[in-house]
Amino acid sequence: GTAVELGGPRPRALLSVLALEVGAVVALDRLIDVLWDGDEPDGARNAVQVYVSRLRKALGEGGRALRAGPGGYVLDLPENAVDAVRFRRLADDGHVLLREGRPQAAREVLGQALALWRGEALTDLGAAGEGLRAGLEAGRLAAGTALMRAGLELGHHHALVSELEDLVRRHPLDEQLVVLLMTALYRAGRQADALAAYAAAARRLDDELGIDPGTELRRLHEAVLRQE
């Protein structure tokens, strides 16, 4: 319940890597790779030992959970002590419920998962956090997309249009989001807007990636044209 000063970006990145794999030994080579972005300097192994020692000191009694393991280090805590791990477990459960055809249950679980987020992850780790952040953000987007899909299966198309428009603005090359937006617009009686969303997506894909829309998006476009 108290704030702890952990030091600079690398000690914080070290603790973050261990926390994201809580309960498992993280190899020293992987820690070095993350902390120095694949460019290992002389003395990196000694530096990691120094960071671990500083973290233990900063964490006080909690530092006992940070210990050496075979070939690396482990943060020896229950998995539910780390919010990112709780998020992954809830998100996985939500995806399973959606595949099982239980959209209401999926929506509740995915909502709990996304409620754990309080902004962008690991913003204070600098370059060392890029890879870690990308993985977390990909999971967040996948959970948000699944939440929108569950809502559409429950018939909430009118309410979801503005949220999907915002998601498409933030992730303009994500075809799955465009599929969901077009579906919501069409079911809300806005066929012309659904077709306009497809046209805008096709332009973006061509301008930025030099590709045509994928099969699912093209089939949906044809279905909207035929008013299916």
Side-chain angles (χ1 to χ4, degrees):
T2 58
V4 176
E5 178 57 51
L6 298 176
R10 288 201 174 104
R12 297 179 70 82
L14 172 62
L15 186 60
S16 296
V17 176
L18 296 172
L20 290 171
E21 300 186 32
V22 65
V25 175
V26 182
L28 181 57
D29 287 342
R30 167 155 162 69
L31 293 170
I32 291 171
D33 188 56
V34 172
L35 266 56
W36 284 277
D37 197 22
D39 186 19
E40 179 180 348
D42 293 337
R45 293 171 183 267
N46 289 334
V48 170
Q49 292 176 354
V50 171
Y51 295 152
V52 168
S53 177
R54 289 178 182 171
L55 284 169
R56 284 174 175 153
K57 203 170 294 183
L59 293 169
E61 290 297 311
R64 293 178 181 177
L66 177 53
R67 59 180 181 80
Y73 292 92
V74 58
L75 188 63
D76 193 7
L77 292 170
E79 287 189 351
N80 64 7
V82 180
D83 54 2
V85 176
R86 293 204 309 276
F87 164 76
R88 283 201 300 257
R89 182 179 296 130
L90 286 166
D92 288 345
D93 290 346
H95 290 303
V96 169
L97 289 166
L98 191 57
R99 287 195 297 270
E100 291 176 347
R102 301 168 61 189
Q104 182 60 49
R107 192 164 180 266
E108 292 170 3
V109 172
L110 290 164
Q112 292 172 26
L114 290 164
L116 292 170
W117 284 76
R118 297 185 297 276
E120 190 178 353
L122 308 178
T123 53
D124 58 344
L125 299 189
E130 286 298 328
L132 303 176
R133 183 159 50 248
L136 286 169
E137 289 291 348
R140 182 184 192 181
L141 178 59
T145 301
L147 182 67
M148 296 296 105
R149 191 178 297 279
L152 286 177
E153 291 189 17
L154 291 167
H156 301 165
H157 34 268
H158 288 282
L160 293 176
V161 166
S162 61
E163 289 183 65
L164 283 165
E165 286 175 334
D166 182 58
L167 281 170
V168 169
R169 275 193 295 271
R170 288 190 278 128
H171 306 280
L173 301 178
D174 189 313
E175 293 191 43
Q176 281 300 306
L177 290 175
V178 179
V179 165
L180 297 179
L181 174 59
M182 288 178 63
T183 302
L185 287 166
Y186 182 77
R187 291 181 182 173
R190 297 169 58 181
Q191 181 190 16
D193 290 334
L195 295 172
Y198 174 85
R203 283 195 302 272
R204 290 193 299 269
L205 290 167
D206 183 41
D207 291 345
E208 299 192 33
L209 301 179
I211 61 173
D212 294 325
T215 302
E216 184 181 7
L217 193 51
R218 291 199 310 272
R219 286 178 177 168
L220 179 62
H221 177 239
E222 292 165 3
V224 171
L225 283 170
R226 293 193 298 266
Q227 296 188 334
E228 293 181 354

